[in-house]
Amino acid sequence: MCGLKIQSRRIIRLIWLDCDISMDEMQFLESVYELAVSYLEDKGTLVDYQNFDSLEKITDTKLQVGPMPYEEILQDIQHYLKYCVRTNQSGFMNPLWGGINTVALAGEFLTSLTNTSMYTFELAPIGTVIEKSIISKMLGYVGYPDGAGTFTTGGSNGNMLGMLCARLKNNPVGMQTGYDNRNLVALVSEESHYSVVMAGNVIGIGKENIISIKSDQFGRMRADALAEEIQYLKAEGKEVFCVVATSGTTVKGSFDPLKELAEVCFRENIWLHVDAAWGGSALLSSKHTHLMDGIDLADSVCWDAHKMMGIPLICSSFLVKDESILARVCNHTKSAHYLFQSEDRTNDLGHYSLQCGRRNDALKLFLAWRQKGDEGWSKLIDSYMESADYIESKISHHPRLELVSPREWTNICFRYTSEVIDENTLNKELRKRLMQNGSFMVSKAMIDGMYIIRLVISNPEITLSSLDHFIEEVVRLGEEIEKELPHR
Ligand SMILES: Cc1ncc(COP(=O)(O)O)c(C=O)c1O
């Protein structure tokens, strides 16, 4: 047996049969590949749900003193794959991403295989060429032809970077002398992502100085309320240095009116950053790009390709109209002589990043873009919107289901209605059972005191028939819970 070139499928079978074979590195990798293929082919349960205690009990987490044979590592991998959430399946509609883009997956693998850091051209020559080209492509979509950009650790980090650029513009010497943040205020919509408030803490202006502006019934920041608040704060002696708009809010999927907000910011000389982590991909579709009208008038934007574009996490861009501001925020030339040796700064991308070591996240996006082309992305976004139209219509025509918020994007916020049982309790239980049954994962949120179920379409595996099945399951569970839980 050992003299033969052992095929990986066979190895796995042997492992399952508990045969005692030795395995070298290549065979190990082949076996991992086979397990990955089985994972991709498996259309079974979305998650084999266990609570923490039972999962901990059945998972061998000991880090022993001596080495462990590859066979046992493979068993660890099988165990991991058995109990992970299979985010590539159609029932996965929970966060703002899902599914697998095979070409991008290959890019992710190549990034780890070639394991380099993006700080200098010298260390990442081909990576630098690729990252610059993909950033330039994205700058074209947002309308910043002379801008700059970088890949960050996520939209949260991109929002913070936008605020840092805004603060530098507001006070160009503060970077050297330090900032007295006491008067600085940033304004955000009341529907904005929590990362903006966190950034208030990180950059030192304090969470209290991130002030929420009222939204309209669609969840969009009101430009009139923004203008009013700016005047009020100015009269109080505060300095509004940044407005953070959202294109695609986390819960409702609303798009703030960028043109109107930009007008206010321009008049008041305030930096406008757009959190388009979720909705930025609307730019890829000629049918839906209007949702982002006015993005070219903003100063900076973050856009997550790991959300609607389905690139493996993390793949998040930060784009800025004025290249020099990002270069100044990230300036470190004097202190990093040991790393940056080139005279030509523009090709050492570490001059545009707050990170030192940085993964090559551009490669997977680049390869996926080559494979799909602009048209492929456009089709993907359009198909997600069509699926969202479909399920929105099903929900709004169903006697027991209720849409809780008007829809702009692929977020669908709804609940099961009941005359006999507290609806918040019912919907909470319903969401839990959907997950514990292992068929669907959707998210929850509160809207106007109501516990709602939020599903998002951001997974190429979702089909109209999987959505039909989802509705059937929601209604079945709703009826089941109504029978089981005490009536009010
Ligand atoms: C609107 C919005 N902004 C920012 C983020 C944070 O993005 P990331 O998870 O890439 O940090 C999210 C995450 O869901 C989001 O919905």
Side-chain angles (χ1 to χ4, degrees):
M1 168 78 68
C2 290
L4 298 172
K5 184 175 183 299
I6 301 169
Q7 294 300 314
S8 45
R9 244 182 229 288
R10 206 137 143 227
I11 295 172
I12 291 167
R13 250 180 267 127
L14 287 169
I15 290 161
W16 280 333
L17 293 171
D18 260 352
C19 283
D20 191 17
I21 54 165
S22 72
M23 203 179 295
D24 66 15
E25 281 183 21
M26 289 317 290
Q27 287 172 350
F28 171 73
L29 284 178
E30 273 182 34
S31 304
V32 173
Y33 169 77
E34 285 291 329
L35 286 172
V37 171
S38 311
Y39 172 85
L40 291 173
E41 284 170 353
D42 178 9
K43 299 290 172 211
T45 322
L46 176 60
V47 55
D48 187 342
Y49 180 79
Q50 310 278 327
N51 66 28
F52 182 88
D53 289 343
S54 50
L55 199 50
E56 195 183 35
K57 213 172 273 167
I58 57 173
T59 305
D60 184 357
T61 55
K62 274 190 308 295
L63 296 174
Q64 75 297 338
V65 176
M68 203 181 230
Y70 285 125
E71 287 84 351
E72 285 182 46
I73 307 297
L74 277 176
Q75 280 162 16
D76 285 347
I77 292 170
Q78 277 180 289
H79 185 74
Y80 175 81
L81 291 174
K82 177 165 165 49
Y83 290 105
C84 69
V85 175
R86 296 180 181 87
T87 61
N88 61 324
Q89 298 202 6
S90 61
F92 186 72
M93 302 187 286
N94 183 330
L96 308 175
W97 42 271
I100 285 184
N101 178 312
T102 317
V103 175
L105 178 64
E108 178 71 16
F109 168 72
L110 293 170
T111 285
S112 294
L113 179 75
T114 55
N115 193 32
T116 193
S117 172
M118 295 303 296
Y119 28 57
T120 58
F121 177 78
E122 193 173 294
L123 277 157
I126 179 78
T128 301
V129 170
I130 285 171
E131 179 167 319
K132 284 188 85 159
S133 81
I134 203 96
I135 287 288
S136 155
K137 180 82 179 174
M138 295 177 99
L139 287 169
Y141 271 95
V142 296
Y144 303 165
D146 303 319
T150 185
F151 282 87
T152 67
T153 58
S156 305
N157 193 250
N159 287 334
M160 187 192 74
L161 199 45
M163 287 167 79
L164 287 175
C165 289
R167 190 170 62 172
L168 182 75
K169 166 101 186 297
N170 176 269
N171 178 353
V173 296
M175 256 187 58
Q176 288 304 121
T177 58
Y179 291 95
D180 174 358
N181 280 321
R182 274 171 293 187
N183 281 339
L184 290 183
V185 172
L187 302 180
V188 302
S189 113
E190 57 188 354
E191 304 280 338
S192 66
H193 188 253
Y194 73 88
S195 58
V196 182
V197 178
M198 278 203 315
N201 170 33
V202 178
I203 75 169
I205 67 170
K207 293 183 181 180
E208 277 180 8
N209 290 313
I210 305 288
I211 295 178
S212 294
I213 303 296
K214 282 253 161 286
S215 328
D216 63 15
Q217 80 270 28
F218 295 96
R220 303 179 294 210
M221 195 197 296
R222 278 177 34 202
D224 61 330
L226 174 71
E228 222 172 83
E229 185 69 21
I230 291 171
Q231 295 316 319
Y232 170 78
L233 289 165
K234 273 164 76 174
E236 294 276 294
K238 295 282 187 185
E239 185 145 13
V240 181
F241 75 106
C242 185
V243 169
V244 180
T246 314
S247 291
T249 59
T250 312
V251 176
K252 296 179 182 168
S254 318
F255 285 73
D256 287 344
L258 299 181
K259 271 189 177 162
E260 292 171 40
L261 302 182
E263 228 170 77
V264 176
C265 289
F266 183 74
R267 201 166 58 227
E268 300 289 343
N269 193 26
I270 297 170
W271 185 279
L272 177 60
H273 170 74
V274 180
D275 174 357
W278 170 221
S281 300
L283 290 165
L284 300 166
S285 151
S286 46
K287 260 195 207 157
H288 303 290
T289 189
H290 65 89
L291 291 166
M292 303 274 301
D293 275 355
I295 186 68
D296 54 321
L297 304 172
D299 297 289
S300 59
V301 56
C302 71
W303 171 5
D304 278 357
H306 65 233
K307 291 194 163 71
M308 203 173 249
M309 295 172 84
I311 307 300
L313 292 133
I314 295 288
C315 190
S316 175
S317 66
F318 172 78
L319 308 166
V320 60
K321 191 182 270 171
D322 178 352
E323 175 269 347
S324 71
I325 295 238
L326 182 59
R328 275 188 286 151
V329 164
C330 303
N331 184 293
H332 47 64
T333 17
K334 290 209 178 97
S335 45
H337 51 84
Y338 41 81
L339 188 58
F340 297 96
Q341 279 118 21
S342 165
E343 291 301 311
D344 180 8
R345 295 163 47 86
T346 57
N347 290 334
D348 284 344
L349 301 184
H351 291 299
Y352 296 91
S353 174
L354 291 179
Q355 290 173 247
C356 175
R358 188 164 63 85
R359 300 179 84 247
N360 180 358
D361 286 330
L363 176 62
K364 52 194 170 184
L365 178 56
F366 170 75
L367 294 176
W369 211 310
R370 295 276 288 176
Q371 192 257 332
K372 274 199 183 309
D374 299 350
E375 283 174 11
W377 290 128
S378 183
K379 274 192 197 140
L380 182 75
I381 307 306
D382 293 351
S383 75
Y384 285 165
M385 284 294 261
E386 282 157 22
S387 296
D389 290 343
Y390 178 77
I391 191 157
E392 178 188 7
S393 157
K394 284 207 84 150
I395 289 172
S396 47
H397 288 101
H398 196 285
R400 303 311 302 272
L401 304 177
E402 174 184 58
L403 271 182
V404 179
S405 162
R407 196 198 118 228
E408 280 194 281
W409 197 220
T410 67
N411 306 43
I412 291 108
C413 298
F414 75 99
R415 62 181 190 153
Y416 185 94
T417 58
S418 172
E419 286 172 4
V420 294
I421 185 169
D422 174 66
E423 283 161 328
N424 281 358
T425 312
L426 187 153
N427 283 281
K428 203 178 212 170
E429 181 62 23
L430 202 161
R431 193 192 86 90
K432 192 169 89 191
R433 289 190 191 185
L434 277 171
M435 184 187 67
Q436 291 183 345
N437 290 353
S439 46
F440 293 99
M441 278 185 102
V442 284
S443 180
K444 61 165 194 267
M446 296 302 290
I447 294 183
D448 300 333
M450 285 179 280
Y451 185 102
I452 64 103
I453 293 175
R454 181 207 69 175
L455 77 83
V456 291
I457 310 284
S458 184
N459 176 349
E461 294 297 316
I462 297 171
T463 60
L464 300 189
S465 82
S466 73
L467 291 173
D468 286 343
H469 179 42
F470 173 74
I471 296 289
E472 281 160 22
E473 194 60 2
V474 164
V475 172
R476 187 187 71 75
L477 286 171
E479 287 168 356
E480 181 182 283
I481 295 164
E482 273 190 320
K483 282 187 200 134
E484 283 175 23
L485 292 195
H487 291 187
R488 55 183 166 206

